[in-house]
Amino acid sequence: MDLGVRWKLHGDGRTPAPGAVVRPDERLSWPRTFGLGAQHVVAMFGASFVAPVLMGLDPNLAIMMSGVATVVFLLATRGRVPSYLGCSLSFVGVAAVIRAQGGTSATVTGACFVVGVVLFLAGLAVRRFGARIIHAAMPPIVTGAVVMLIGFNLAPVTASTYWPQDQWTALLTMLVTGAAVVCLRGFWSRIAIFLGLVFGYVISWALDRILGRIHSMDASGKVTDHWRLDLSGVGRADWIGLPSFHGPSFQWSAILVALPVVIALVAENAGHVKAVGEMTGDPLDDELGTAISADGAASMLSTAVGGPPNTTYSENIGVMAATRVYSTAAYWAAAGFALLFGVCPKFGAVVAAIPGGVLGGITVILYGMIGLLGAQIWLNARVDLRNPLNLVPAAAGIIIGIGGVTLKFTDNFSLNGIALGTIVVITGYHALRAMAPAHLRQEPLLDSGTSSYDESGDQRASS
């Protein structure tokens, strides 16, 4: 059985030949491969380490399980889809809502575990029937709206939790991070979030030395005099040790909040598989279902032990595009580095010490970018918002999701925010489509853009 763990040496093993790429089943020399692996770890530093902190989960366990998840993904796709799996930012808003409802870390990971199960089953369905079922159930107007409301639902978290802890550090961090995203090129632009974190650390340390303690909210929400950057936990942490594990806890209210993220993850995986296939010149349409299922299985494994769910990272796809090296050997090396970081509690303590003001500046951009990815889905699919069939369910669902509208059924059960907004978008669109006049239903659900997926899916269905 081919697991994709054998690689041919590309050329002289030094650099790709002019106009050539290092394919997934090829590699450069091992020292260069390990260097590329380290580069991939750095590329996902910002988002993958910020996300567990924002979710209230152990960053050491998050990075360890990202390495495990990457190995699972590479084995499942037999080395055909080079990709790194890191902590998904799509779940940050879910975690915030669950904790606001009194949920614990176990409740958060339990809800995310169920999302992993649904994602795994969705991948199996795509393998069996082709990607047409994705487009039929979740056309771009639906997918874009759900991604948008998930991102923008996070705005109050930044405004009320992180920014007030140190508004000036937040402002400076936001400006520097934004400048890094826009002005830097190549690899440096891919680690702009990480560079923003480093700047925030440095400026927080400098302001502590110059101005002393700050009188503001701390991480618990109390207004006190405290240091912006508290590294006391770093000094107490060991160099080597296992992260803290815990089992998941399942609550229906939390699960309903988390389930809409499946839509974002399916769209994310489809986009990444398509992008990698185009860059490598090897159509990967037949691997879409496998990739989605592998993402779900990896998330189930991570959340089962208390880690965050994972997803493929566009930052690492950017690194591949810049280096023209698509070797899965580099991702195996990256997974190895992640496992080593995971057993270093001191490293986790450094991540956990990120000042609240720094997170405020980072999340202003990060959360906004997540939300605007929904608009990008609409643009790419040329969604016509002049058509009331598209406009009405999207408008209603987004306002419900962002505004936190609640629909109360009993004293113990209600739907609100992300969950209610997603239900309104999906059911509203399909219900209105069934009733709409023909001239508003001009765009078929099974459009020609899915033909390459459908072809492979139909072949499997007939075999």
Side-chain angles (χ1 to χ4, degrees), residues 35-258:
L36 284 166
Q39 187 171 337
H40 278 298
V41 172
V42 173
M44 61 86 176
F45 252 49
S48 201
F49 292 150
V50 169
V53 172
L54 298 178
M55 293 175 68
L57 300 176
D58 185 346
N60 267 82
L61 182 57
I63 184 61
M64 173 187 285
M65 295 313 296
S66 76
V68 174
T70 299
V71 169
V72 169
F73 186 89
L74 293 174
L75 290 175
T77 58
R78 302 179 306 284
R80 288 194 62 200
V81 186
S83 194
Y84 192 92
L85 268 66
C87 182
S88 175
L89 285 164
S90 298
F91 288 90
V92 172
V94 167
V97 172
I98 293 173
R99 290 186 180 278
Q101 295 175 347
T104 63
S105 293
T107 311
V108 170
T109 53
C112 295
F113 179 90
V114 175
V115 171
V117 173
V118 176
L119 188 63
F120 176 79
L121 296 176
L124 295 183
V126 171
R127 280 181 57 85
R128 178 66 177 83
F129 301 106
R132 65 178 64 193
I133 62 171
I134 295 176
H135 293 267
M138 300 179 296
I141 181 61
V142 170
T143 306
V146 172
V147 172
M148 187 176 291
L149 69 86
I150 287 174
F152 292 156
N153 178 266
L154 297 167
V157 177
T158 292
S160 61
T161 302
Y162 298 120
W163 192 279
Q165 293 186 41
D166 187 354
Q167 60 176 2
W168 297 113
T169 296
L171 179 62
L172 289 172
T173 302
M174 180 194 72
L175 294 174
V176 169
T177 303
V181 171
V182 174
C183 300
L184 298 181
R185 295 290 182 269
F187 171 72
W188 294 106
S189 68
R190 302 295 173 187
I191 62 170
I193 299 296
F194 174 66
L195 296 177
L197 287 174
V198 172
F199 170 81
Y201 251 88
V202 173
I203 196 66
S204 295
W205 177 85
L207 290 175
D208 280 343
R209 303 285 81 75
I210 297 171
L211 302 177
R213 296 172 184 257
I214 185 173
H215 183 76
S216 69
M217 285 175 48
D218 60 14
S220 66
K222 297 179 179 178
V223 177
T224 63
D225 290 321
H226 60 276
W227 298 111
R228 297 168 180 82
L229 178 61
D230 183 4
L231 295 176
S232 58
V234 178
R236 294 192 300 267
D238 296 327
W239 280 103
I240 299 176
L242 290 174
S244 57
F245 299 94
H246 69 259
S249 174
F250 303 100
Q251 294 182 11
W252 274 114
S253 59
I255 292 170
L256 289 173
V257 169

Side-chain angles (χ1 to χ4, degrees), residues 24 73-74 79-84 276 280 284 320 326-328 331:
F73 186 89
L74 293 174
R80 288 194 62 200
V81 186
S83 194
Y84 192 92
V276 172
T280 61
L284 297 173
M320 290 191 294
Y326 304 96
S327 171
T328 54
Y331 283 107

